[in-house]
Amino acid sequence: MNENIGVGLVVGLAIGITTYIWNSDCFTKSQKYVLLLFILFPPLQWISAIILFFYNYHQFKKSKEYKKEVTNHNEEKKIDNSKINLQELKNSGLITEEEFKEKVEKINSQKTELTILKSKEYSQLKALLDSNILTKEEFENKISILKGKVSNKDIIFSNKNYRIIDGYSEGLALAINDNLDYGFVNNNGEIVIDFIFEHAENFSNGIANVRIDGVIKKIDLRGNLS
């Protein structure tokens, strides 16, 4: 009797883990097929799943996408540090108010340029330009419009310890804080969903993909995980 219960628990656990693996975004398609075959040998499947999970997570840390995020964050940090240095120099009387305003305006311009280059809209416009769908003049005009939007957004949220990395979708914008954690803010710059995610995507049809503790999950607009 006890043996039957044990077998039932192992089978149930194997089916549950296999279902999780198949629905998870933490594994590639080929990895899922291999792990699916291992259902006949549950311990082997579980050990292999753990190894692949950490391997994929390590590969993500080495990916161009992650490195680009880190580089962009470091550049943004340099700009923010420049503002702090200017403020301290002004407070010590080494630069005048007029010089301070002039330098801050230059820094804000640099920040705007950096934000534009990282934006989804810039990538879309650049793709249209490269495909000869947009002329160079049209591209530059659209960039000017985008620059105005980004500049306004930076002014509104300049006192926050995060930056918006994607446009607004369904009332929320994807943002990243100083610790490289992801979260979501509203149009007023208020944090609606805390910065607790290692990676995240913008909302679509009320759902966003997020990575937390190395696991891909989904959240709704209230921040509920599923």
Side-chain angles (χ1 to χ4, degrees):
M1 183 68 175
N2 290 336
E3 184 177 340
N4 291 335
I5 293 175
V7 172
L9 288 173
V10 171
V11 171
L13 188 58
I15 293 174
I17 291 177
T18 301
T19 302
Y20 166 78
I21 290 171
W22 188 254
N23 294 325
S24 173
D25 293 325
C26 298
F27 305 98
T28 66
K29 202 169 201 178
S30 58
Q31 289 173 346
K32 289 180 180 181
Y33 282 123
V34 172
L35 291 172
L36 185 62
L37 292 175
F38 287 172
I39 192 175
L40 298 175
F41 309 97
L44 178 60
Q45 182 194 54
W46 303 340
I47 293 172
S48 299
I50 292 171
I51 292 172
L52 287 173
F53 172 83
F54 284 106
Y55 170 79
N56 291 340
Y57 182 70
H58 180 66
Q59 289 301 108
F60 168 73
K61 289 286 189 178
K62 291 166 56 179
S63 68
K64 290 182 179 180
E65 178 186 0
Y66 181 78
K67 289 179 179 178
K68 182 180 177 182
E69 289 174 3
V70 173
T71 299
N72 290 339
H73 175 77
N74 290 338
E75 289 297 320
E76 186 104 5
K77 197 68 176 175
K78 286 180 184 178
I79 293 174
D80 290 337
N81 286 338
S82 295
K83 277 188 177 181
I84 294 172
N85 291 335
L86 279 174
Q87 183 67 54
E88 291 177 350
L89 288 171
K90 188 188 81 161
N91 293 341
S92 64
L94 292 175
I95 62 173
T96 65
E97 180 70 26
E98 184 177 345
E99 288 175 322
F100 175 76
K101 289 180 179 179
E102 179 186 343
K103 300 306 180 186
V104 167
E105 185 176 342
K106 183 177 180 181
I107 289 173
N108 284 337
S109 178
Q110 292 175 342
K111 189 172 182 179
T112 297
E113 293 291 338
L114 181 63
T115 303
I116 288 172
L117 291 174
K118 301 191 305 260
S119 69
K120 178 181 178 181
E121 291 85 352
Y122 178 85
S123 299
Q124 292 170 328
L125 290 170
K126 187 65 166 60
L128 292 175
L129 175 66
D130 293 340
S131 302
N132 296 320
I133 296 174
L134 285 180
T135 65
K136 186 175 181 180
E137 182 179 359
E138 289 173 328
F139 173 77
E140 291 175 350
N141 287 338
K142 299 299 182 186
I143 293 298
S144 296
I145 295 172
L146 180 59
K147 185 179 293 187
K149 291 182 177 181
V150 170
S151 297
N152 291 334
K153 183 168 62 181
D154 283 346
I155 292 172
I156 294 172
F157 304 141
S158 60
N159 63 332
K160 305 295 184 180
N161 64 343
Y162 63 79
R163 59 185 173 84
I164 292 175
I165 58 173
D166 205 346
Y168 283 85
S169 177
E170 302 184 20
L172 298 179
L174 177 61
I176 188 170
N177 67 9
D178 291 342
N179 296 321
L180 296 182
D181 296 319
Y182 290 78
F184 295 85
V185 301
N186 62 19
N187 289 305
N188 296 321
E190 299 168 334
I191 299 173
V192 176
I193 300 176
D194 287 336
F195 291 85
I196 60 173
F197 306 112
E198 297 156 3
H199 187 70
E201 299 173 359
N202 230 333
F203 279 93
S204 177
N205 297 321
I207 297 296
N209 291 321
V210 297
R211 183 192 293 269
I212 183 169
D213 295 330
V215 179
I216 298 296
K217 295 189 176 183
K218 298 183 185 297
I219 57 170
D220 60 23
L221 291 167
R222 294 178 179 272
N224 297 317
L225 288 164
S226 61

